[in-house]
Amino acid sequence: MYFQKARLIHAELPLLAPFKTSYGELKSKDFYIIELINEEGIHGYGELEAFPLPDYTEETLSSAILIIKEQLLPLLAQRKIRKPEEIQELFSWIQGNEMAKAAVELAVWDAFAKMEKRSLAKMIGATKESIKVGVSIGLQQNVETLLQLVNQYVDQGYERVKLKIAPNKDIQFVEAVRKSFPKLSLMADANSAYNREDFLLLKELDQYDLEMIEQPFGTKDFVDHAWLQKQLKTRICLDENIRSVKDVEQAHSIGSCRAINLKLARVGGMSSALKIAEYCALNEILVWCGGMLEAGVGRAHNIALAARNEFVFPGDISASNRFFAEDIVTPAFELNQGRLKVPTNEGIGVTLDLKVLKKYTKSTEEILLNKGWS
Amino acid sequence: MYFQKARLIHAELPLLAPFKTSYGELKSKDFYIIELINEEGIHGYGELEAFPLPDYTEETLSSAILIIKEQLLPLLAQRKIRKPEEIQELFSWIQGNEMAKAAVELAVWDAFAKMEKRSLAKMIGATKESIKVGVSIGLQQNVETLLQLVNQYVDQGYERVKLKIAPNKDIQFVEAVRKSFPKLSLMADANSAYNREDFLLLKELDQYDLEMIEQPFGTKDFVDHAWLQKQLKTRICLDENIRSVKDVEQAHSIGSCRAINLKLARVGGMSSALKIAEYCALNEILVWCGGMLEAGVGRAHNIALAARNEFVFPGDISASNRFFAEDIVTPAFELNQGRLKVPTNEGIGVTLDLKVLKKYTKSTEEILLNKGWS
């Protein structure tokens, strides 16, 4: 397969409600759809999920699209691609830039699945027809608002709830939710807001039977996390510093965590994610699919991944209406008794809703990849 | 001090000879001079040293200048800066992007030193009047060419020689140089070209009395380096994965290395570099100043850092004529019995040679930082 053209569609979907983390607050999802068209006219779609600010990782939406245009698409234009697994190798000399790589690589996976006339889920060996999903709740003003939201999502059928925590919005929030929902699958995400001096507070969280505490310490730390994990009953889960299977091996070898939040965008795409999932299953590390407030294309890729057997724990993959009034794909993803259906149509299994996409599109750029394909 | 204007000068200096590493080959130094002008008309200079390709680290020259324009300068424009140490904190919520941060932060340091009418070296507590320097030699075609180059640089007075090595260009190269120069201070830089399977080869290097082996394994690895360091007599030196003092603490706590190649650009500037130098001195880790084929402005900042007492080992700071026929500063840096003089004039102690700079300038962009300074 040769890719002859790329279309970079810059769109921005308003969020139904601002989403707050220890990093900051988002009111919309600003993203690109990367559309690749091959010599047979097959269209593959990926989503560039980097945030506008370099606060979660070092990439921004504008620096990542620059890397796609200046580095990744020129590499893709140079040769025939026999299988999607080649893309990770093609980009391997490029340090970092995982979100840029993932957006392009996932569009290639979609195109190949369509060429083979099967769903992306089937193509990557996923067998589930639907997946259990969890919901992630941003930092709230007070306990009352938080309890209302948890109640609302539990009523909607979400089986697992993740609370964002931060200094002064931790113990009392977790305690209140645990008291109101004694049996709920509950976890806390700290987004690197703590350090070793907060040990006693983190130790206190041990009593609330949490599934895990996500990234309590620095975004590049392995050693302090290992020190903490030895002293906690609760699993520590790593997110920001896991960019490849090598990072998982490093974390596992020194005992930094017992769970991994696996985001396709953060690890550079599907090939890298599959290696991480397989490593985790082999080494009894709980792996689950994280979220980046994706629009429908990114969400579809996540669901295909989470339909694999390694994924037994509900991911941060909510229905489209968790964040957006309208989604850019049809059919939108809808919760059904706490589960999302795994698309069975070809490729990512959903199609772009051109009317909605057009409404939220800010710009479209077409790039001819290779003029000289014989 | 308020910064009212920034000038981004994009220039490209041809190298006297191509410089080859396991990453690739450079024929010129493409860079930006970041010029900041404050309310008193003081000009501070920094150099954006990221390479055009994301092969050494994830930043490229074009992605880094984008981050400077979209993220860093707008932050700088927001407030009065009382001391240069504030910049690291001002940018601290931004993940990574160290080279972009360093270019702006170092321009602020230069401006403050000029305001205080003293040299940057004096301002950061450096006491040496001149510094011993080493030279880094790229990968060569064959042993003969390498020996000629080593001979040439030793004759010029360089006391320490670093050889770039890569698979099939390692043992026989190091052996030949050690045989011809039994007493020479010699080291090897692998730029992440090896892995655990190469243990026996790396162990063989132990016999050549090298000062150190730099970054044999992956650019984000701590654990495999610790495994190797336990089995080698020769120091392991880390480069690519050291971006902050936290990374040094992490490496030190698990024994990944006994030396650190400290590059101002790679660690986000002077404040970060000083913390690393102090930590290394306290913990008996050999710290030395690395190089990025800097032009004169970057070279001046490096010399100020390397004039500090923690730096006893010759850095990769060569004379201007090692790489360039002409340099963009006056006076150019000239070797004198293996030493470079530490500038004593105000700030970085050298001035832009506008004639030479103009000759190699590709574009200049002026950005007003704040229209409303009272």
Side-chain angles (χ1 to χ4, degrees):
Chain A
M1 184 184 290
Y2 297 105
F3 289 101
Q4 300 185 318
K5 190 156 63 172
R7 205 176 277 131
L8 314 179
I9 305 164
H10 187 185
E12 187 165 5
L13 280 171
L15 294 180
L16 287 168
F19 189 77
K20 208 163 182 308
T21 74
S22 65
Y23 289 126
E25 186 175 81
L26 282 173
K27 294 198 171 83
S28 68
K29 178 65 184 182
D30 200 3
F31 63 101
Y32 280 81
I33 294 299
I34 310 297
E35 181 179 16
L36 297 179
I37 300 123
N38 80 350
E39 78 277 23
E40 295 168 21
I42 291 175
H43 293 234
Y45 297 101
E47 184 173 323
L48 177 56
E49 301 177 12
F51 294 119
L53 296 178
D55 47 6
Y56 170 61
T57 73
E58 61 281 356
E59 291 177 85
T60 65
L61 196 61
S62 49
S63 72
I65 201 72
L66 184 76
I67 291 287
I68 286 175
K69 288 197 276 191
E70 290 190 349
Q71 308 291 341
L72 306 185
L73 291 181
L75 285 170
L76 193 65
Q78 284 170 8
R79 60 179 230 205
K80 181 173 182 172
I81 307 294
R82 276 173 296 275
K83 52 181 183 162
E85 288 85 347
E86 287 177 10
I87 302 298
Q88 186 182 22
E89 177 50 34
L90 182 65
F91 295 161
S92 60
W93 63 270
I94 292 177
Q95 306 287 340
N97 293 293
E98 289 87 1
M99 299 210 184
K101 291 177 182 175
V104 174
E105 194 240 27
L106 289 165
V108 173
W109 276 94
D110 184 27
F112 267 89
K114 283 168 178 161
M115 188 182 78
E116 295 179 11
K117 303 210 176 312
R118 52 181 177 155
S119 75
L120 175 61
K122 278 275 166 307
M123 189 176 176
I124 61 168
T127 51
K128 295 180 213 147
E129 291 174 12
S130 70
I131 54 168
K132 283 195 293 188
V133 289
V135 69
S136 176
I137 302 177
L139 285 169
Q140 299 302 314
Q141 277 308 336
N142 50 56
V143 166
E144 293 66 35
T145 333
L146 177 61
L147 288 176
Q148 277 164 14
L149 279 169
V150 174
N151 203 46
Q152 173 194 319
Y153 290 124
V154 168
D155 284 352
Q156 287 176 12
Y158 285 104
E159 292 195 14
R160 186 273 290 150
V161 170
K162 173 165 107 172
L163 311 181
K164 294 284 185 178
I165 60 171
N168 307 318
K169 293 196 170 182
D170 33 48
I171 298 283
Q172 74 276 43
F173 278 52
V174 169
E175 185 178 40
V177 174
R178 177 49 82 216
K179 242 188 211 145
S180 306
F181 304 87
K183 292 271 166 265
L184 180 62
S185 171
L186 186 62
M187 56 191 274
D189 182 2
N191 286 118
S192 297
Y194 298 88
N195 56 53
R196 278 194 179 217
E197 282 83 50
D198 302 307
F199 170 70
L200 290 178
L201 179 142
L202 295 165
K203 183 69 184 161
E204 220 182 314
L205 287 173
D206 240 356
Q207 64 185 304
Y208 298 110
D209 193 20
L210 295 176
E211 298 284 1
M212 62 190 80
I213 301 168
E214 217 183 307
Q215 205 80 29
F217 296 152
T219 58
K220 293 179 64 186
D221 174 81
F222 291 95
V223 170
D224 288 358
H225 281 113
W227 168 82
L228 182 64
Q229 180 68 96
K230 285 189 191 73
Q231 306 175 75
L232 289 192
K233 185 187 70 177
T234 310
R235 289 186 196 97
I236 289 181
C237 172
L238 290 185
D239 171 355
E240 283 86 337
N241 50 347
I242 302 297
R243 307 296 185 87
S244 69
V245 68
K246 274 228 156 254
D247 294 328
V248 182
E249 286 166 19
Q250 181 147 263
H252 185 51
S253 72
I254 60 173
S256 308
C257 65
R258 300 206 315 264
I260 294 283
N261 168 340
L262 175 48
K263 294 179 185 177
L264 282 165
R266 197 197 62 226
V267 300
M270 190 62 83
S271 301
S272 173
L274 294 177
K275 286 179 183 140
I276 291 172
E278 285 154 10
Y279 182 91
C280 287
L282 260 173
N283 293 280
E284 293 169 3
I285 301 167
L286 179 69
V287 63
W288 55 280
C289 185
M292 293 275 290
L293 281 72
E294 291 86 353
V297 169
R299 205 164 289 275
H301 282 289
N302 284 349
I303 291 169
L305 175 67
R308 290 252 310 192
N309 289 338
E310 297 92 344
F311 296 80
V312 294
F313 185 79
D316 275 349
I317 314 173
S318 34
S320 299
N321 67 6
R322 159 73 182 91
F323 292 113
F324 310 114
E326 295 176 287
D327 201 346
I328 56 158
V329 295
T330 55
F333 295 102
E334 285 167 7
L335 208 62
N336 185 339
Q337 292 165 0
R339 303 181 78 90
L340 289 179
K341 195 174 153 307
V342 179
T344 50
N345 293 336
E346 292 171 7
I348 52 174
V350 291
T351 45
L352 288 189
D353 182 327
L354 298 179
K355 214 177 116 223
V356 172
L357 182 59
K358 196 171 175 222
K359 187 173 162 186
Y360 296 104
T361 291
K362 305 204 288 193
S363 72
T364 301
E365 183 177 355
E366 261 188 26
I367 297 173
L368 284 181
L369 290 186
N370 192 301
K371 299 147 199 87
W373 287 136
S374 53
Chain B
M1 187 185 289
Y2 297 106
F3 289 101
Q4 300 186 319
K5 189 157 64 171
R7 202 176 279 131
L8 314 179
I9 306 164
H10 187 187
E12 186 165 5
L13 280 171
L15 293 181
L16 287 168
F19 189 76
K20 208 163 184 303
T21 74
S22 64
Y23 289 125
E25 185 175 81
L26 282 172
K27 294 197 172 84
S28 68
K29 178 66 185 180
D30 199 3
F31 62 101
Y32 280 82
I33 294 299
I34 310 298
E35 181 179 16
L36 298 179
I37 300 125
N38 80 350
E39 78 277 23
E40 294 168 22
I42 291 175
H43 293 234
Y45 297 100
E47 183 173 323
L48 177 57
E49 301 176 16
F51 293 119
L53 296 177
D55 47 6
Y56 170 60
T57 73
E58 61 283 353
E59 291 178 83
T60 64
L61 195 60
S62 49
S63 73
I65 200 73
L66 184 75
I67 292 286
I68 286 175
K69 289 197 276 191
E70 290 190 349
Q71 309 291 341
L72 306 186
L73 291 181
L75 284 170
L76 193 64
Q78 284 170 7
R79 58 179 235 209
K80 180 172 183 174
I81 308 294
R82 277 173 298 274
K83 51 181 182 160
E85 288 85 348
E86 287 177 10
I87 302 297
Q88 186 182 23
E89 177 51 32
L90 183 64
F91 295 162
S92 60
W93 62 270
I94 292 178
Q95 305 287 339
N97 294 293
E98 289 87 2
M99 298 208 184
K101 291 177 182 175
V104 174
E105 194 240 27
L106 289 165
V108 172
W109 275 93
D110 183 27
F112 267 89
K114 283 168 179 160
M115 188 181 79
E116 295 179 11
K117 303 211 179 309
R118 53 182 178 155
S119 74
L120 176 60
K122 276 277 167 304
M123 190 177 176
I124 60 168
T127 51
K128 294 181 213 147
E129 291 175 14
S130 70
I131 55 168
K132 282 195 291 187
V133 290
V135 69
S136 176
I137 302 177
L139 285 168
Q140 299 302 315
Q141 277 308 337
N142 50 55
V143 166
E144 292 66 36
T145 333
L146 177 60
L147 288 177
Q148 275 165 15
L149 278 170
V150 173
N151 203 45
Q152 173 194 318
Y153 290 124
V154 168
D155 283 351
Q156 287 175 15
Y158 286 102
E159 290 195 14
R160 187 274 291 150
V161 169
K162 174 164 104 172
L163 311 181
K164 294 284 186 179
I165 60 171
N168 308 317
K169 293 196 169 183
D170 33 49
I171 298 283
Q172 73 277 41
F173 279 51
V174 169
E175 185 177 42
V177 174
R178 177 50 80 216
K179 243 190 210 142
S180 305
F181 303 88
K183 292 272 168 263
L184 179 64
S185 170
L186 185 63
M187 56 192 273
D189 182 2
N191 286 120
S192 298
Y194 299 87
N195 56 53
R196 278 194 180 218
E197 281 83 52
D198 302 307
F199 170 70
L200 290 177
L201 180 143
L202 295 165
K203 183 68 183 161
E204 220 182 312
L205 288 174
D206 240 357
Q207 65 184 305
Y208 297 111
D209 193 22
L210 295 175
E211 298 284 1
M212 63 190 80
I213 301 168
E214 220 183 305
Q215 205 80 29
F217 296 152
T219 58
K220 293 179 63 187
D221 174 81
F222 291 95
V223 171
D224 288 357
H225 281 114
W227 169 81
L228 181 64
Q229 181 68 96
K230 286 188 188 75
Q231 305 176 75
L232 289 193
K233 186 189 69 178
T234 310
R235 290 187 194 97
I236 288 180
C237 173
L238 290 183
D239 170 356
E240 282 86 338
N241 50 348
I242 302 297
R243 308 296 185 84
S244 70
V245 68
K246 274 227 156 259
D247 294 328
V248 181
E249 286 166 20
Q250 180 146 264
H252 185 53
S253 72
I254 60 174
S256 308
C257 65
R258 300 206 315 263
I260 295 283
N261 169 339
L262 176 48
K263 294 178 184 176
L264 282 166
R266 195 197 63 228
V267 301
M270 190 61 84
S271 301
S272 172
L274 294 176
K275 286 178 185 141
I276 291 172
E278 285 154 9
Y279 181 91
C280 286
L282 259 172
N283 294 279
E284 292 169 6
I285 302 166
L286 180 68
V287 63
W288 56 280
C289 184
M292 293 277 290
L293 281 73
E294 290 87 354
V297 168
R299 205 163 289 276
H301 282 288
N302 284 349
I303 291 169
L305 175 66
R308 288 252 312 193
N309 289 337
E310 296 93 345
F311 295 81
V312 293
F313 185 78
D316 275 350
I317 314 173
S318 34
S320 299
N321 66 7
R322 158 74 182 94
F323 292 112
F324 311 112
E326 296 177 287
D327 201 345
I328 56 158
V329 295
T330 55
F333 294 102
E334 285 167 7
L335 207 62
N336 183 342
Q337 292 165 356
R339 304 181 78 89
L340 288 179
K341 194 175 155 308
V342 179
T344 51
N345 292 337
E346 292 170 9
I348 53 175
V350 290
T351 45
L352 288 189
D353 181 328
L354 298 178
K355 212 176 117 222
V356 172
L357 182 59
K358 196 172 174 216
K359 186 174 164 186
Y360 296 106
T361 291
K362 304 203 287 192
S363 71
T364 300
E365 183 178 355
E366 263 190 23
I367 297 174
L368 285 181
L369 290 186
N370 192 299
K371 297 137 199 95
W373 286 137
S374 52

